[in-house]
Amino acid sequence: MRGFFTRFAIAASGFALAVSYPVSAQDHAQAGWSLAIHGGAGTIARDSMTPEEDAAHRAALQAALDAGAKVLADGGSALDAIEAAILIMEDEPRFNAGKGAVYTWDATHELDASIMDGRTRDAGAVAGVTTVRNPILLARKVMTDSPHVMLSGKGAETFAAEQGIELVPPSYFDTEFRLKALERMKAKQLSALDVDLKFGTVGAVALDRHGNMAAGTSTGGMTGKRWGRVGDAPIIGAGTYADDRACAVSATGWGEFFIRVGVAHEICARLRMEKAVGAMSAADRIPTLVALDHHDGPEMPEVAIPEGAAQDIADAVMNDVKALGGDGGVIVVTPEGHALYSFNTAGMYRGRATSAGVNEVAIYGDE
């Protein structure tokens, strides 16, 4: 038993060290950048879309990817890159965010969004807004120009007006195919999952040339939602999280389950623990760890997480969601520049680009 507690103490010390000393894997990525985006995950099959619809979705994803990639390639910040990418998708009716937001049970629209800076862990979020054209812009204003992390409803819209954020009539978000989905849901007494076949939430994660990361997510929620329902998208730690020491994550899926698992933070926390364990293996065991914990010893060894290990962690968390009965997906970037996807659905609208030359969009699970 004593051996167990000794090992536990060492592990805890190593974890604290990972918190105290930024992992220098970032140093290796400073000259490069990485970006991943998503536009929803769910029952997305080739035989459910025409070639024209397939091409249109890919073009929309590519436009968003290109907008974010340009910011990063020009030396811009991760925050600016994810904002640029998400703005494109909020203005694209094919995605369930901004202009393409689904209808609530009462045939209105309630939009949510969040953003997080991995360098400072500052964050901003909005929930249940009805007149804000681009909720991601308002979420960023909450982060930078208010003392709060989350604002909701009328209060959020009052703040938006004070900050000069563009407001639009609620009818701006109306689309015929979303209204038909609500009508079909009511007529056949279906669940939101039966009419939504996919979760169209949008998001982006990025690593910039300075080694900083950011994450953002925006959504219209679930068709037919009632009583002011809020999903994971605006919840920091559930649908969005960024920490330069570990990763940046944006999620899409059945929000109730992502909230219960704390998906975005869980992935980052597991990556931080992986780094701590790696540092312990490279350190001079107990004497070194004790010295480091008191900040009077040598710095922690440099530890980089392989792409496969990061993928395994993301997959494990998504398997946890599935075990509870939820589905969806995540995008992840790491300090090493890995741009990853993980989803437990048939498909996910997604894309990634890096300074190493990767530039791709995909829809189906077998791509």
Side-chain angles (χ1 to χ4, degrees):
M1 182 64 72
R2 180 177 299 173
F4 167 80
F5 284 113
T6 299
R7 291 192 299 273
F8 181 81
I10 294 171
S13 176
F15 185 75
L17 296 173
V19 173
S20 301
Y21 292 87
V23 179
S24 60
Q26 286 180 288
D27 297 338
H28 305 306
Q30 283 183 0
W33 54 266
S34 185
L35 172 71
I37 64 171
H38 69 74
T43 307
I44 305 169
R46 283 186 173 84
D47 58 7
S48 67
M49 282 201 292
T50 66
E52 292 76 18
E53 290 172 332
D54 180 292
H57 275 97
R58 291 179 190 272
L61 287 168
Q62 191 66 60
L65 191 65
D66 290 346
K70 184 179 188 306
V71 172
L72 296 170
D74 291 344
S77 72
L79 280 169
D80 287 343
I82 64 169
E83 179 181 290
I86 291 174
L87 282 173
I88 296 290
M89 293 186 283
E90 284 185 336
D91 288 342
E92 169 55 65
R94 288 180 174 82
F95 301 117
N96 174 21
K99 175 61 179 173
V102 299
Y103 284 82
T104 69
W105 184 264
D106 297 319
T108 61
H109 307 279
E110 297 174 356
L111 287 69
D112 310 324
S114 62
I115 194 168
M116 189 166 184
D117 183 348
R119 181 178 63 87
T120 60
R121 279 178 285 163
D122 288 336
V126 294
V129 296
T130 61
T131 62
V132 178
R133 174 174 174 169
N134 294 109
I136 195 64
L137 296 180
L138 181 55
R140 188 168 182 180
K141 278 291 187 181
V142 172
M143 178 179 72
T144 60
D145 290 69
S146 87
H148 308 299
V149 170
M150 178 181 284
L151 300 179
S152 65
K154 295 297 183 183
E157 292 178 344
T158 297
F159 178 74
E162 293 174 354
Q163 295 297 317
I165 298 293
E166 183 178 1
L167 302 178
V168 293
S171 59
Y172 165 82
F173 304 105
D174 291 348
T175 52
E176 184 177 356
F177 78 101
R178 297 291 192 196
L179 182 59
K180 288 182 177 178
L182 176 66
E183 292 171 345
R184 189 168 68 254
M185 175 186 183
K186 289 184 173 182
K188 298 183 178 180
Q189 297 185 337
L190 301 172
S191 73
L193 301 180
D194 292 323
V195 298
D196 267 347
L197 295 187
K198 63 181 183 300
F199 304 97
T201 295
V202 308
V205 291
L207 167 74
D208 62 32
R209 291 188 184 277
H210 309 287
N212 297 323
M213 291 183 286
T217 312
S218 182
T219 190
M222 298 181 77
T223 297
K225 63 183 181 180
R226 306 174 76 175
W227 312 298
R229 179 263 187 190
V230 176
D232 66 303
I235 307 296
I236 301 301
T240 301
Y241 201 76
D243 183 342
D244 279 5
R245 301 169 300 179
C247 66
V249 181
S250 175
T252 175
W254 195 343
E256 281 71 12
F257 292 91
F258 281 71
I259 293 171
R260 290 164 58 187
V261 174
V263 166
H265 182 269
E266 180 74 6
I267 291 172
C268 286
R270 294 193 189 192
L271 277 166
R272 284 175 59 201
M273 181 60 79
E274 186 80 7
K275 290 175 182 290
V277 170
M280 287 168 56
S281 298
D284 189 19
R285 306 287 305 168
I286 298 174
T288 301
L289 288 170
V290 172
L292 284 170
D293 200 28
H294 289 83
H295 308 293
D296 56 2
E299 290 190 1
M300 284 293 289
E302 297 183 5
V303 176
I305 300 299
E307 183 174 1
Q311 184 71 58
D312 288 345
I313 287 171
D315 290 345
V317 175
M318 287 308 303
N319 286 338
D320 194 11
V321 172
K322 186 175 183 179
L324 293 179
D327 54 8
V330 294
I331 50 174
V332 182
V333 294
T334 72
E336 296 80 14
H338 308 314
L340 311 172
Y341 320 120
S342 181
F343 51 99
N344 58 23
T345 53
M348 181 166 78
Y349 296 114
R350 59 200 188 274
R352 57 186 169 190
T354 72
S355 54
V358 173
N359 189 305
E360 63 183 27
V361 297
I363 298 177
Y364 312 111
D366 57 2
E367 293 186 82

